[in-house]
Amino acid sequence: MENRFRARFCVLILLACSIYSGLTLVGAQNRRPKNVQVAVRVKWSGTPLLLEAGELLSKESKNLFWEFIDDWLLHVAKTDGDSHSAKDCVKKIVKHGSFLLSEPLAPLFEYSLSLRSASPRLVLYRQLAEESLSSFPLPDDSYSNNERGLDANETADIKKFDPLLVGVNPKSPDGKCCWVDTGGALFFDVADLLLWLQRPNELGDASQQPETYDFDHIHFDSNIMSPVAILYGALGTDCFRGFHVTLTQAAKEGKVNYVVRPVLPSGCEAEVGLCGAVGARDSLNLGGYGVELALKNMEYKAMDDSAIKKGVTLEDPRTEDLNQEVRGFIFSKILERKSDLTSGIMAFRDYLLSSTISDTLDVWELKDLGHQTAQRIVQASDPLQSMQEINQNFPSVVSSLSRMKLNDSIKDEIIANQKMIPPGKSLMALNGALINIEDIDLYLLIDLVHQELSLADQFSKLKIPHSTVRKLLLTVTPPELNTFRVDFRSAHVHYLNNLEEDAMYRRWRNNINEILVPVFPGQPHYIRKNLYHAVYVLDPATVCGLQSIDMITSFYENTFPMRFGVILYSAQFIKKIEMSGGELHSSALEHDSEIENDKSSLIIQLFIYIKENHGPQTAFQFLSNVNRLRIESAESTDEAVEMHHIEGAFVETDLSKAKSSPQEILLKLKKEQTFKEMSQESSLSVFKLGVGTLQCCLLMNGLVFDFSEEALINAMSDELPRIQEQVYYGHINSRTDVLDKFLSENGISRYNPQILADGKVKRRFVSLASSILGGDSVLNEINYLHSPETVDDVKAVTHLLAVDVTSKKGIKLLRKGIHYLIGGTQGARVGVLFSASQTADLPSLLLTKTFEITAASYSHKKKVLDFLDQLCSFYEHKYILRSTTAAESNQEFVDKVYELAEANELFSKAYKFLLPEASDLKLREHLNKVSQFLYRQLGIPSGVNAIITNGRVTPLGASVFLSDDLHLLESVEFKHRINHIVEIIEEVNWQDVDPDMLTSKYISDVIMFVSSSMATRDRSTESARFEILNAEYSAVVVNNENSSIHIDAVVDPLSPSGQKLSSLLRVLAKYAHPSMRIVLNPLSSLGDLPLKNYYRYVVPTMDDFSSTDYTVNGPKAFFANMPLSKTLTMNLDVPEPWLVEPVIAIHDLDNIFLENLGDTRTLQAVFELEALVLTGHCAEKDHGPPRGLQLILGTKNTPHLVDTIVMANLGYWQMKVHPGVWYLQLAPGRSSELYFFRDGVDDGSQEKSLSKRIAINDLRGNVVHLEVVKKKGKEHEKLLISSDVDNQSKDKRGHSSWNSKIFEWASSFIGGRDHSKKSDDCLKGHSKGGRHGKTINIFSIASGHLYERFLKIMILSVLKNTHRPVKFWFIKNYLSPPFKDVIPHMAREYGFDYELITYRWPTWLHKQTEKQRIIWAYKILFLDVIFPLSLEKVIFVDADQVVRADMGELYDMDIKGRPLAYTPFCDNNKEMDGYRFWRQGFWRDHLQGKPYHISALYVVDLVKFRETAAGDHLRVFYETLSKDPNSLANLDQGR
């Protein structure tokens, strides 16, 4: 029965096809469905896939790069006889790469290779190769055939050379494909290199050593102290094999530090073999972006009604996918059965396709559309594919969806879930960590998955059970604590007031709940309770210290509701302690003349005396008197305190109760030891707290702030919500001591900014597990030291001390580590990694051997730590602080070891047996091995002392490091990231481990390795409770217990984010095989169609590689069977760092009307990655963002290629870059005169940096966090100075202003950097047209062919009405390729200049969804940053305006110091009166006779615009306004 029904149904279909084909054959031929194809290519030439594979493997492990090279050279013949196509070659490369990887990582390696994510790294190497060649010009000048060493073909491809494309492939130098750069010479032949290696006296010229970088491939046998030899070449060439074999052998012999930078120079493709050249000859198409064809909102007529241009029709590379369902029919199966009716069946299919498009539905059809979509997805055999097909072709499937019968169970579950999550909300988490849906892209997602799989692989190799591995990976690290409070409670705090006891506050109410009562902004709560303890730590002889005293006194006198106090110290005294290594030697201080004459100590003594005898108010008055006398007698307010100021202030202070005269008291106090000791104790307490290095600082309830008044108010504002929360929940009441509560719960005994990392400095972590799994590791040889009687305990925290045994600081660190253990710690152990300089003497080597013997044999002994401390003390005083003769010192050291061992109850037998046997050579080899490990694996250079705490690397700065700092490190790291790992490891059931191995050391090692590896994860600390959502009927659940990846997601399938996520989830499902739980969350009630577009997310596949030849086509977006009668507009959804522009497009991509394509079946568009965006945030230490700070970016040879300014909005800045090594600097002029970059942390030594090196080696861009500090003496100067003020100062000083200088400087770089040829052409045009005078700068923006026609008319109308030179500035992003092709010809013909500019919309600024609104926003929001700094003024003119007057008149108009000036509408044309809407209704009443202005024409004084930060104000206003979707009807219009 069923078969008979199917047969009749097929006959019916065929009959319909036959009838339809006969009646409408002609019409169908005219209205055949059309397709759209889009590709995005990079600007640089293609890179070899073989070299990309090596880069991908090096990301997994540095050694895998070298293993891959050796494997390829050993097993792969150059002939490539078994590889007949690009696909065969890729499979071969993947096979050899996957062989080196674990099974879960292999599929991801294959996919990353097809994604071409390593290509930017090879482009970076090209830049370095070019710099290498250009530093040694060849005698025959073969390299300099053209400016950049490009070959003829590549030069022809790049029509307009882009100076930012620093990684252009160099031409083969003199036909050579490889060379070795030693800094002093280039070697193109192995024979020359061998001669160089045989002359050891010429190897070590350090001044000529080439620079190496973190991303370089350094051979694992290399000696980092040896001369650097960098091989530039490509795997697969004969020359590479020869150089590689020679340099590998030299590295093993310790002769060179061997580095490889993979480069295939242009012209060497034939030398590398067929597979080695795959990818190098083809343009590189990218994947990992979305393309949208939106049904256009025709609010404005934007269709170009001129004749359709006929251009070169690109061949249609795609056939239609007949497997896609069309109205319930799968035509591929019908055609298989009835191939003789092909034309009729296809005509019937075309009719169905053309009749399915819908952009409107009736209200009742929309009602359950979201629920119906969810039902269609969950009931499909492949839910992810179904979701993708629905939301990416929604206008074509919406009709069939709306007719679907709905299952109530699905609807009810969705509604129930939406009580816990907002309808339409989308979330996604990878192994528990939330991913930002807006920012996610394919490259980031693959990196995140690779990170998780690598960790799982490491943990498995540590024999951790799979169930525990999953539990570890699903653990989300808690967010970093930024509320560390310094526990300053001591007798050295001197309070000025007490709100709870002082009479002046008795009239205030003491009800703590009043803090919950709202008050006006900026107004404090007046409550008789010590809620805020503002304790200033200061040196009373410094300017900042005395200024703080005056500020405290002022607040106190004005009854500010805060308790004020001070802790006083002497910076000179603390300096003495630091010079002694943190140890206070009283005997040395007693007769120190500097201490005796220390003004700070004297002030502290007098302050303590006055306070004890006359009260705190009088004591503070004394300090105020010191400052007053200092200011009165000084020419400058910054001059230091003199002794007579102190004495005079003491005499002036009212000591009415004193029995003696002030002079007698002063003389007596100077000799009094008691107050002197109290002064020293106060300074010592500050030293122990660690805040002495901050000079002056505020402790607000223990939180550390700057000492300024602004910081005090901000600190109070920050603390208020914390106190309110505690009061609200009842944790603080009227009887609670707020300070004790806060400091007891979250107090630390010492402040060290290097350890606490307040968010400005990113902590650095390294994986110790990857180090130990890489083979023979020095970590296996470490024997740990423990606190007494804790040897057998599991230690959660491991401190590895990297100690240079020949340095004083290294020995100090070693002793502090021993004191730390002697002081007692239950949860930590200490290991020592000794290194030494090449000139280390034998006692230094014997010390390391003694430590090794002691830790291995006697770590359980009670006095072992005392023995090591005494030995280090002897070694420090005998061999570090003074030199002794070698012969006697060696034996003396050995004898001392025997003596101390016996004295501390250690058997000296082991020492007597092993020390004499110690080989000088072997000890040096071991120290060299440790140095290599520290540098290669941990990034610690030779001679640097550091602490590695469970993978966290803390290099020692200039400040003193105490044993208390190790306690602080232990506490911070354990609480933040180790504790939850310990809890998981303690529950492990170790099945694959020998029970004899399960010692406390083994478990401690596992905790160290796991916690260090997990700390390297770069992911969010935010999580969500997905498990509370029901997932029985409305969710897609994929279980895979063997997978290390778990995806939790909540997705609205009918949303823009759902369109992208559906494709990303399919990629994950194919290559990572995760377990997934995807809860569908569509909007329950719709008033309009949720999606009015077609969407394709472009992902690469193996089909991108040809199976017939060696070409690589690359991925493309393909839209089959698009509607003919709808106007579509194309938008690209690219990763945030990408700036793309169309380079090939015959048709108007803003207004795609496929009916006009004629015989062409497929509309083709090719976009180009114009640049990557380098973004960042800049902060000024202890202040807000330095708005207006000017930055420049360039290369080593060309320092200035791009420039920008820092916004006030989050200190944001951005610049265009390409892959390469870049250098960021402060611009010459006021920026570099006032500021310098700050490196590291504020540990007392500010490293001044003039530039920042930034490596761009991937497609994800880079976010750079900068911190600048004002130079000494410039602290109170402002960066932005009004030009009026600056002109006055210029007249006084008699030289040009900084504004003038910056414009001259910027013009010299910017005006002539990449437009010199264009400018020459313009000058010729000017001479023809007779143009003269100051150039008029015109800015405009257009999108779509129609408005580009208007733009041409506007250009000509401007030129027609002025005789002055004109330069036009156009937004590059939206111009069509035909316009960009014609504009240079127009410029030559009509004699004008032009420049194309662009700016990427910042991520933090609310973005419009409609393309037209984004375009409108560009003309007002980024005026301060989109133009070069040299441009002083510009006029904006709408593209559709016709200019009838000389624009020079507006350009020269005095706009009276305003940044913007808008022209009013004119009214001289009476025929237009009926269209002047502002003459009637609302606008007439609103304007009250004032002229109506519109943003079609306005002038911008860019100098004043930047000075007043007008751009920042506009962006803040826009951000506030744009949150209301109804408030931006036209965004830029009526004013």
Side-chain angles (χ1 to χ4, degrees), residues 107-126:
L108 215 60
F109 166 71
E110 176 185 341
Y111 190 71
S112 297
L113 190 62
S114 65
L115 192 57
R116 311 299 297 273
S117 58
S119 180
R121 177 74 68 91
L122 297 179
V123 177
L124 180 149
Y125 289 134
R126 288 175 175 175

Side-chain angles (χ1 to χ4, degrees), residues 370-444:
H371 301 146
Q372 290 165 320
T373 302
Q375 179 172 317
R376 172 76 65 88
I377 293 169
V378 297
Q379 291 179 351
S381 57
D382 187 342
L384 293 179
Q385 181 180 356
S386 175
M387 190 195 314
Q388 182 179 7
E389 289 176 353
I390 289 171
N391 59 27
Q392 297 192 357
N393 300 285
F394 188 68
S396 297
V397 301
V398 62
S399 296
S400 64
L401 281 173
S402 65
R403 294 192 295 270
M404 212 178 147
K405 185 178 180 181
L406 181 62
N407 185 333
D408 289 338
S409 299
I410 293 177
K411 182 177 180 178
D412 293 343
E413 184 172 274
I414 291 174
I415 293 173
N417 283 337
Q418 289 176 348
K419 294 177 181 178
M420 294 173 279
I421 188 168
K425 176 77 172 177
S426 291
L427 292 172
M428 181 176 172
L430 173 64
N431 279 349
L434 283 178
I435 297 173
N436 189 333
I437 296 289
E438 302 300 323
D439 296 341
I440 191 66
D441 59 67
L442 187 56
Y443 297 91
L444 175 58

Side-chain angles (χ1 to χ4, degrees), residues 320-326 329-339 345-346 349:
E320 296 179 41
D321 185 3
L322 300 178
N323 290 315
Q324 288 188 357
E325 179 186 352
V326 180
F329 301 113
I330 299 177
F331 281 88
S332 59
K333 297 195 179 294
I334 298 174
L335 287 171
E336 286 176 7
R337 297 174 183 175
K338 296 294 178 181
S339 57
I345 292 171
M346 291 301 293
R349 179 176 180 272

Side-chain angles (χ1 to χ4, degrees), residues 47-116:
T47 51
L49 278 154
L50 179 61
L51 302 187
E52 291 180 28
E55 298 305 309
L56 290 172
L57 290 169
S58 72
K59 287 178 64 178
E60 182 61 35
S61 170
K62 293 179 180 180
N63 289 350
L64 286 183
F65 173 83
W66 299 101
E67 292 177 24
F68 179 71
I69 287 179
D70 293 337
D71 180 70
W72 188 268
L73 292 175
L74 183 64
H75 296 105
V76 181
K78 183 184 173 183
T79 56
D80 299 318
D82 57 341
S83 303
H84 304 289
S85 65
K87 185 174 286 187
D88 290 341
C89 288
V90 172
K91 288 180 179 177
K92 179 186 287 188
I93 294 170
V94 169
K95 177 184 175 183
H96 284 272
S98 300
F99 175 75
L100 302 172
L101 297 170
S102 61
E103 186 178 345
L105 290 168
L108 215 60
F109 166 71
E110 176 185 341
Y111 190 71
S112 297
L113 190 62
S114 65
L115 192 57
R116 311 299 297 273

Side-chain angles (χ1 to χ4, degrees), residues 509-772:
R509 300 181 66 177
N510 60 0
N511 185 359
I512 188 68
N513 291 318
E514 288 197 7
I515 201 168
L516 303 176
V517 177
V519 294
F520 290 109
Q523 178 183 340
H525 294 82
Y526 290 88
I527 303 172
R528 186 153 48 90
K529 179 75 175 169
N530 292 322
L531 299 175
Y532 307 100
H533 296 73
V535 175
Y536 284 81
V537 183
L538 52 90
D539 182 336
T542 61
V543 174
C544 72
L546 293 173
Q547 287 175 344
S548 299
I549 293 295
D550 280 356
M551 182 179 65
I552 291 172
T553 306
S554 175
F555 274 109
Y556 168 72
E557 291 173 350
N558 287 281
T559 62
F560 195 70
M562 186 176 290
R563 191 180 192 193
F564 293 100
V566 293
I567 305 176
L568 304 177
Y569 72 93
S570 165
Q572 195 170 347
F573 184 84
I574 287 182
K575 186 178 179 182
K576 287 290 181 183
I577 301 176
E578 290 177 342
M579 290 175 65
S580 66
E583 297 172 1
L584 183 63
H585 302 289
S586 56
S587 58
L589 294 174
E590 282 179 7
H591 306 291
D592 193 317
S593 60
E594 291 184 12
I595 297 297
E596 292 291 334
N597 299 319
D598 182 14
K599 293 188 282 290
S600 303
S601 294
L602 178 59
I603 295 176
I604 299 171
Q605 294 174 49
L606 297 176
F607 177 89
I608 296 172
Y609 168 80
I610 297 172
K611 182 194 172 190
E612 288 188 356
N613 292 278
H614 304 281
Q617 285 77 18
T618 309
F620 275 85
Q621 185 59 48
F622 158 68
L623 295 179
S624 296
N625 289 343
V626 174
N627 193 39
R628 179 175 54 79
L629 292 176
R630 180 189 67 85
I631 295 172
E632 288 175 355
S633 65
E635 295 180 3
S636 168
T637 57
D638 292 335
E639 289 195 11
V641 173
E642 300 294 341
M643 191 62 76
H644 63 87
H645 300 146
I646 304 169
E647 295 170 350
F650 185 76
V651 170
E652 287 188 14
T653 304
D654 182 16
L655 305 179
S656 56
K657 296 181 182 179
K659 297 179 180 179
S660 306
S661 67
Q663 290 82 357
E664 292 176 359
I665 297 173
L666 187 60
L667 289 172
K668 184 179 178 182
L669 285 174
K670 285 184 178 181
K671 299 176 182 178
E672 178 66 50
Q673 277 298 117
T674 305
F675 290 105
K676 184 177 180 180
E677 290 173 1
M678 293 172 70
S679 167
Q680 292 181 355
E681 288 173 4
S682 181
S683 297
L684 186 60
S685 72
V686 171
F687 172 73
K688 289 181 177 178
L689 284 177
V691 291
T693 57
L694 302 179
Q695 294 181 346
C696 297
C697 72
L698 161 66
L699 301 180
M700 172 61 75
N701 288 348
L703 297 175
V704 181
F705 292 91
D706 184 39
F707 69 93
S708 66
E709 181 177 336
E710 178 187 2
L712 175 68
I713 301 302
N714 291 337
M716 186 178 184
S717 301
D718 291 347
E719 193 75 335
L720 175 61
R722 300 188 190 105
I723 296 174
Q724 287 176 324
E725 181 182 1
Q726 297 279 324
V727 171
Y728 181 81
Y729 288 108
H731 301 314
I732 291 178
N733 54 46
S734 298
R735 296 182 300 276
T736 306
D737 188 318
V738 174
L739 184 65
D740 283 350
K741 177 178 173 56
F742 281 159
L743 295 183
S744 299
E745 291 177 352
N746 204 22
I748 54 177
S749 60
R750 178 168 166 81
Y751 176 78
N752 188 328
Q754 202 171 3
I755 294 173
L756 298 177
D758 57 2
K760 295 178 182 177
V761 179
K762 189 173 182 180
R763 297 181 297 174
R764 190 166 75 85
F765 294 95
V766 294
S767 172
L768 300 176
S770 60
S771 303
I772 200 163

Side-chain angles (χ1 to χ4, degrees), residues 97 142 292 314 600 613 1002 1287 1294:
S142 61
E292 172 196 58
L314 301 177
S600 303
N613 292 278
Y1002 182 87
N1287 288 334

Side-chain angles (χ1 to χ4, degrees), residues 723-975:
I723 296 174
Q724 287 176 324
E725 181 182 1
Q726 297 279 324
V727 171
Y728 181 81
Y729 288 108
H731 301 314
I732 291 178
N733 54 46
S734 298
R735 296 182 300 276
T736 306
D737 188 318
V738 174
L739 184 65
D740 283 350
K741 177 178 173 56
F742 281 159
L743 295 183
S744 299
E745 291 177 352
N746 204 22
I748 54 177
S749 60
R750 178 168 166 81
Y751 176 78
N752 188 328
Q754 202 171 3
I755 294 173
L756 298 177
D758 57 2
K760 295 178 182 177
V761 179
K762 189 173 182 180
R763 297 181 297 174
R764 190 166 75 85
F765 294 95
V766 294
S767 172
L768 300 176
S770 60
S771 303
I772 200 163
L773 295 172
D776 183 25
S777 172
V778 297
L779 295 180
N780 292 323
E781 302 170 9
I782 295 178
N783 292 294
Y784 294 95
L785 298 171
H786 309 260
S787 285
E789 300 180 0
T790 66
V791 176
D792 296 327
D793 298 340
V794 171
K795 302 299 193 307
V797 177
T798 300
H799 297 299
L800 295 175
L801 308 183
V803 173
D804 181 355
V805 75
T806 58
S807 72
K808 179 181 177 181
K809 188 174 287 188
I811 297 300
K812 289 289 185 188
L813 172 62
L814 185 57
R815 294 195 65 191
K816 295 303 178 188
I818 296 170
H819 294 166
Y820 161 72
L821 292 175
I822 292 173
T825 172
Q826 296 294 319
R829 58 181 181 167
V830 171
V832 185
L833 293 167
F834 285 111
S835 62
S837 64
Q838 296 289 328
T839 58
D841 54 13
L842 188 56
S844 300
L845 305 179
L846 292 174
L847 177 67
T848 64
K849 184 65 178 177
T850 304
F851 253 84
E852 178 188 329
I853 298 168
T854 306
S857 305
Y858 302 117
S859 61
H860 60 287
K861 295 288 186 179
K862 287 184 179 181
K863 294 188 176 182
V864 63
L865 297 175
D866 296 327
F867 162 73
L868 292 174
D869 184 39
Q870 293 164 17
L871 181 64
C872 288
S873 177
F874 167 77
Y875 173 80
E876 179 183 7
H877 290 91
K878 188 75 174 177
Y879 301 97
I880 299 296
L881 301 180
R882 64 172 71 95
S883 60
T884 55
T885 56
E888 64 181 50
S889 66
N890 296 344
Q891 188 57 45
E892 184 181 0
F893 179 82
V894 173
D895 292 340
K896 192 66 176 179
V897 171
Y898 302 158
E899 176 191 334
L900 292 175
E902 293 293 343
N904 287 282
E905 302 175 8
L906 304 181
F907 297 110
S908 60
K909 185 177 180 181
Y911 300 108
K912 290 178 179 178
F913 176 73
L914 294 172
L915 283 181
E917 297 292 325
S919 165
D920 181 295
L921 180 61
K922 287 186 178 180
L923 289 174
R924 290 185 190 278
E925 286 178 354
H926 178 73
L927 291 176
N928 183 55
K929 181 181 178 182
V930 173
S931 296
Q932 303 272 64
F933 169 79
L934 291 174
Y935 181 70
R936 297 246 181 88
Q937 303 294 334
L938 308 184
I940 301 173
S942 177
V944 173
N945 299 285
I947 302 103
I948 303 96
T949 306
N950 287 52
R952 178 182 174 178
V953 180
T954 309
L956 291 196
S959 60
V960 176
F961 200 88
L962 304 180
S963 58
D964 289 340
D965 290 313
L966 285 170
H967 282 289
L968 179 61
L969 257 175
E970 176 190 347
S971 173
V972 169
E973 292 303 308
F974 181 77
K975 289 179 182 177

